[in-house]
Amino acid sequence: MSPDLWMLVVFGACLFLGMPVAFALGLGGAAGIVTGLSPDMLATLGTNTYNSVAKYPLIAIPLFILTGLIFERAGVAASLVNLAQSLIGRRYGGLTLVAVLVCLIMGGMSGSGPADAAAVAMVMLPSMTKAGYPRPFSASLIAAASSTAILIPPSIALILYSVMIPGLDLRALFAAGLFPGLLAGASLLIPAYFLSKRNGWEAPDAEPDAERLSVKESFIKAIPALLAPIIILGGLRSGLFTPTEAAVVAVTYGLFIGAFIYRLLTLSSLLSLFNEAVKISGIVLLIISLAGIFAWAGTTLGTFTRLADVILSISDNSLTLLLLVMLLVLFAGMLLDAISIYLILTPILVPLMTHFEWNPIWFGILLAMNIAIGQFTPPVAINLMVTTKVANIRLEQTFGWALLFMVTMFSALLLVMFFPQIALWLPQYLGYSIT
């Protein structure tokens, strides 16, 4: 058996046995080194793991993870929900619009889908259930909407993608994700509205005497939350700070409004929050570091190049191969987390991107949209696991609704695929490099 096969077989076997992705990547890479190079080359393991995480932009990842946890527990979601409800009022599909809007805004603060899913679900699920929405539907919608956090800047996954593609402008990547993220969110509202109207969920005349929240009062309370994405994205656009410095600003601002404005963050809750952020960041960085072994082995052995050649041999048509790649990434998204997918597939897909001269910014957004769909598509569906836990229902109860939202969001992906300017117009307008 060739070293390429040894590396892939060991990696696949480790995943099949239930081993964490980080260790599966490390062992797969080590198997490739031993069988294809020399056991002496195992001495490079330490260097490869260190070089994988010793990159300045990656500092933003643990900081944005901390930001997501802070905004989740600082009362931000509740204030945004109250504002959206006061503006929209009671109408068919009104609460679904509220849920999607809040998920989009929260995504512009944390860049973390699971954190947004937890925060929005805890606030929205009781209201949606009272209005007549089935809990499996509500849990599926919030899980799907929160997956747009991978597209709405700042995005942890896009930070990693920019590190893996040399010379890519992260600001351009952030800007490119905005309209596709909004499009993905809008695609969820179309079936939600028609289902609400057909089934009589949240009928406008069901509670004619229900008190409507004051727009002025809810807006004033939501101002600190609304300023968060403005400060983060405005600072990036103006050049006031880099994406990594933006993460520091986001943490500082989140701590300030949580402790002194909404007053929900106490010293004891902060210690718990920091502890959780350290654990999550450690897992993410461990995956990145051990994936460095897999990436180095695959590059040195030529495994990734040969895999790309195999894919190219299927067809010489750019559109056909792009659709195949999208289906491959979609399948991977159903089984693995976003970080792992980028680390495993990007080295294989870069030669294809180069061969067909696909724009790296546009291609990165397509990958992100695909991975977003995977975050709420079973069997793994991390966002769906979060929302079903909050809703206290079984995961299998949501499969039908999740499939519906998967189809609608994939239609948004196809629009971005056939009309690249949906992603590329904004970074071009802002003057960022998109090549």
Side-chain angles (χ1 to χ4, degrees):
M1 194 159 56
S2 69
D4 299 336
L5 281 177
W6 270 113
M7 186 173 76
L8 296 174
V9 166
V10 170
F11 169 66
C14 290
L15 285 182
F16 180 77
L17 293 172
M19 186 177 292
V21 174
F23 298 111
L25 286 167
L27 288 175
I33 291 171
V34 170
T35 56
L37 300 172
S38 165
D40 294 338
M41 296 301 290
L42 291 175
T44 63
L45 297 185
T47 304
N48 286 325
T49 54
Y50 173 76
N51 289 339
S52 299
V53 293
K55 296 171 182 175
Y56 178 72
L58 292 181
I59 298 173
I61 291 180
L63 289 171
F64 276 124
I65 289 172
L66 178 58
T67 301
L69 292 172
I70 290 172
F71 282 119
E72 175 193 339
R73 302 180 189 181
V76 169
S79 66
L80 292 174
V81 166
N82 288 336
L83 173 61
Q85 284 182 308
S86 67
L87 291 171
I88 296 168
R90 189 178 181 91
R91 63 186 72 241
Y92 289 118
L95 286 176
T96 65
L97 177 57
V98 171
V100 172
L101 281 175
V102 174
C103 284
L104 290 171
I105 297 173
M106 291 288 291
M109 301 179 194
S110 69
S112 171
D116 293 351
V120 177
M122 285 188 286
V123 178
M124 288 299 305
L125 274 169
S127 299
M128 295 183 75
T129 302
K130 184 180 178 181
Y133 293 94
R135 284 185 296 169
F137 169 86
S138 303
S140 301
L141 176 70
I142 294 171
S146 60
S147 72
T148 58
I150 200 175
L151 290 161
I152 302 295
S155 162
I156 293 172
L158 293 182
I159 293 171
L160 181 60
Y161 178 76
S162 72
V163 171
M164 300 186 70
I165 308 294
L168 209 60
D169 189 341
L170 180 56
R171 296 172 303 166
L173 202 56
F174 277 174
L178 185 58
F179 286 152
L182 296 175
L183 180 63
S187 72
L188 302 174
L189 293 173
I190 297 172
Y193 171 77
F194 285 109
L195 284 168
S196 300
K197 192 166 186 179
R198 189 186 72 179
N199 295 299
W201 301 335
E202 200 181 354
D205 55 353
E207 295 182 36
D209 298 326
E211 183 180 353
R212 185 166 179 172
L213 296 172
S214 165
V215 175
K216 180 179 179 181
E217 183 180 347
S218 58
F219 175 74
I220 291 173
K221 290 182 178 178
I223 286 176
L226 293 171
L227 284 176
I230 295 174
I231 291 172
I232 296 170
L233 301 180
L236 287 172
R237 173 67 188 100
S238 65
L240 186 62
F241 38 71
T242 67
T244 303
E245 292 166 345
V248 179
V249 172
V251 169
T252 305
Y253 183 73
L255 288 173
F256 174 76
I257 64 173
F260 299 106
I261 297 180
Y262 294 121
R263 298 182 179 179
L264 292 178
L265 294 181
T266 62
L267 183 59
S268 60
S269 66
L270 281 178
L271 292 175
S272 172
L273 188 150
F274 290 148
N275 182 49
E276 186 173 349
V278 167
K279 289 179 180 177
I280 297 173
S281 301
I283 292 170
V284 172
L285 293 175
L286 182 63
I287 294 173
I288 295 173
S289 63
L290 293 181
I293 300 171
F294 189 83
W296 185 84
T299 303
T300 305
L301 293 170
T303 305
F304 299 142
T305 303
R306 282 187 283 274
L307 286 173
D309 291 339
V310 169
I311 297 174
L312 284 169
S313 68
I314 297 174
S315 173
D316 58 358
N317 183 279
S318 172
L319 180 59
T320 301
L321 276 182
L322 184 58
L323 285 170
L324 288 174
V325 167
M326 292 299 102
L327 291 174
L328 171 65
V329 177
L330 178 61
F331 177 73
M334 296 178 185
L335 303 172
L336 299 170
D337 61 277
I339 301 295
S340 301
I341 293 171
Y342 273 114
L343 293 170
I344 295 167
L345 293 183
T346 301
I348 301 172
L349 299 178
V350 165
L352 298 180
M353 185 175 69
T354 304
H355 178 82
F356 289 110
E357 298 182 346
W358 293 332
N359 184 280
I361 298 285
W362 168 71
F363 187 66
I365 297 303
L366 289 180
L367 292 181
M369 292 187 77
N370 236 320
I371 295 169
I373 296 172
Q375 287 190 330
F376 65 89
T377 306
V380 176
I382 184 169
N383 287 5
L384 202 54
M385 286 184 179
V386 171
T387 57
T388 52
K389 185 177 180 181
V390 175
N392 195 28
I393 56 176
R394 298 192 308 274
L395 185 67
E396 55 267 27
Q397 291 178 263
T398 64
F399 284 3
W401 299 119
L403 180 62
L404 171 65
F405 293 130
M406 181 185 111
V407 171
T408 58
M409 195 179 285
F410 195 79
S411 66
L413 183 150
L414 290 176
L415 282 175
V416 178
M417 183 188 300
F418 290 113
F419 301 98
Q421 282 302 309
I422 295 175
L424 298 179
W425 177 82
L426 184 58
Q428 285 178 319
Y429 177 78
L430 295 175
Y432 298 139
S433 171
I434 61 169
T435 55

